[in-house]
Amino acid sequence: MRQPSAGEALAAALSAEYAAIYAYGRIGVRLSEAARDAARQAEAAHRRRRDALVVQLTTAGGVVPPDRAGYALPFPVTDRASALRLAAEVEERTAAHWRAALASTTGADRDQALAALVEYAVRATRWRKTAGQTPLTVPFPGRPT
Amino acid sequence: MLLVLGGAVTPLTGCDLFDRDDQPAPPPDPLRPMVDESLALAAAYRASATAHPELADRLNPIAETHTAHATELARVIGVTVPSAASAAPTAAPAADPSGARAALRALEKTAQQSATAACAAAPAERAALLGSIVAARATHQEALK
């Protein structure tokens, strides 16, 4: 398989960030108090990375994929339990796109991809903790299973 | 003393005389120390789980993760996984469970830093694996809180 270029890998990460922001809109309304605050902070982090990627890809003259009106969720979000499960899932999936960008990048771009992978993997662990899921961690965060 | 000195000098002379065309041994793979580091982490978790059985459910999956990292790293660099017994001996676990957890968190933090440096310096084909190992070590610190 051909190694994607840095621009292609970052465009894929941007599409994942769009989907994560959409998902958190559905997640937040099913949560209350501390968990809702945590969802708000998580969504803000994804928005910051989305904005940074749009600037970065535009500056580099690369293709900026458009956001979509909606994204298919892997399962319906109907209550607190399914919202927390989806939050952990969203973080793992977004982490996977940043992990994939590691191979296509070097230097500061790779540092940026690694920081995102680490942050989202840790947040997935926090969501599992909130949900009472075990184990709290996966052996290879972001690796396709 | 003289005998020891002679023993050290003789093979060197032999090299100079007879093995001039030999290429120097290839430098060890930069990931080789990470295999040992992963095995040492696994050993530290197992020791703490033995000392504090009430933590075993939380610690044993993380020990297995570190062993899986060692196995995967060894595969990538083309060596067999050393037996667990060859892992560097670790300090005895703290007498109280919270002290044991704090000690493991400190080990993970240091190990996360070394994996971060390895990821930054790695060729493309190793970057994703190392990124997952960095992220795993970060999630372990979160799980131990």
Side-chain angles (χ1 to χ4, degrees):
Chain A
M1 202 175 74
R2 184 182 68 90
Q3 176 87 21
S5 71
E8 287 165 345
L10 294 178
L14 174 55
S15 291
E17 296 291 4
Y18 290 144
I21 293 162
Y22 173 84
Y24 270 109
R26 310 291 292 275
I27 291 165
V29 295
R30 300 287 177 186
L31 301 176
S32 57
E33 299 167 0
R36 178 176 279 202
D37 288 345
R40 213 171 275 142
Q41 285 167 24
E43 184 178 342
H46 290 292
R47 287 184 186 278
R48 278 195 299 276
R49 284 226 165 71
R50 174 200 63 185
D51 294 346
L53 279 170
V54 168
V55 171
Q56 188 178 356
L57 288 168
T58 306
T59 308
V63 177
V64 180
D67 198 355
R68 286 188 264 154
Y71 293 84
L73 301 179
F75 47 84
V77 181
T78 54
D79 54 10
R80 180 177 189 272
S82 53
L84 292 175
R85 206 165 71 243
L86 180 61
E89 179 83 21
V90 163
E91 297 299 338
E92 279 296 338
R93 289 187 183 201
T94 321
H97 282 89
W98 284 105
R99 179 191 190 266
L102 289 171
S104 309
T105 52
T106 55
D109 286 345
R110 185 181 287 179
D111 294 346
Q112 169 201 15
L114 182 61
L117 165 59
V118 170
E119 180 184 330
Y120 298 164
V122 168
R123 197 171 282 120
T125 290
R126 278 196 210 124
W127 284 127
R128 290 189 198 101
K129 202 185 271 185
T130 305
Q133 276 181 47
T134 54
L136 291 172
T137 58
V138 296
F140 294 93
R143 186 166 82 171
T145 47
Chain B
M1 192 62 197
L2 272 175
L3 204 64
V4 172
L5 215 64
V9 167
T10 309
L12 199 66
T13 314
C15 272
D16 282 344
L17 282 177
F18 301 114
D19 299 328
R20 297 184 70 100
D21 295 336
D22 269 12
Q23 296 298 313
D29 194 291
L31 294 190
R32 185 66 185 76
M34 278 189 71
V35 177
D36 298 325
E37 189 181 38
S38 294
L39 291 175
L41 283 164
Y45 274 86
R46 281 194 300 269
S48 289
T50 305
H52 304 288
E54 70 274 27
L55 295 178
D57 282 352
R58 205 188 301 195
L59 301 187
N60 285 332
I62 302 181
E64 283 165 24
T65 287
H66 286 302
T67 306
H69 290 172
T71 305
E72 191 66 11
L73 287 164
R75 190 187 63 75
V76 165
I77 66 179
V79 300
T80 51
V81 188
S83 70
S86 69
T90 49
D96 62 308
S98 70
R101 276 161 52 183
L104 292 171
R105 268 209 311 278
L107 287 177
E108 292 278 10
K109 193 173 180 190
T110 305
Q112 183 188 341
Q113 285 161 356
S114 68
T116 300
C119 181
E125 67 275 12
R126 292 179 170 187
L129 169 63
L130 292 169
S132 277
I133 293 176
V134 174
R137 291 172 175 182
T139 61
H140 297 161
Q141 292 164 60
E142 185 67 26
L144 287 165
K145 275 184 187 164

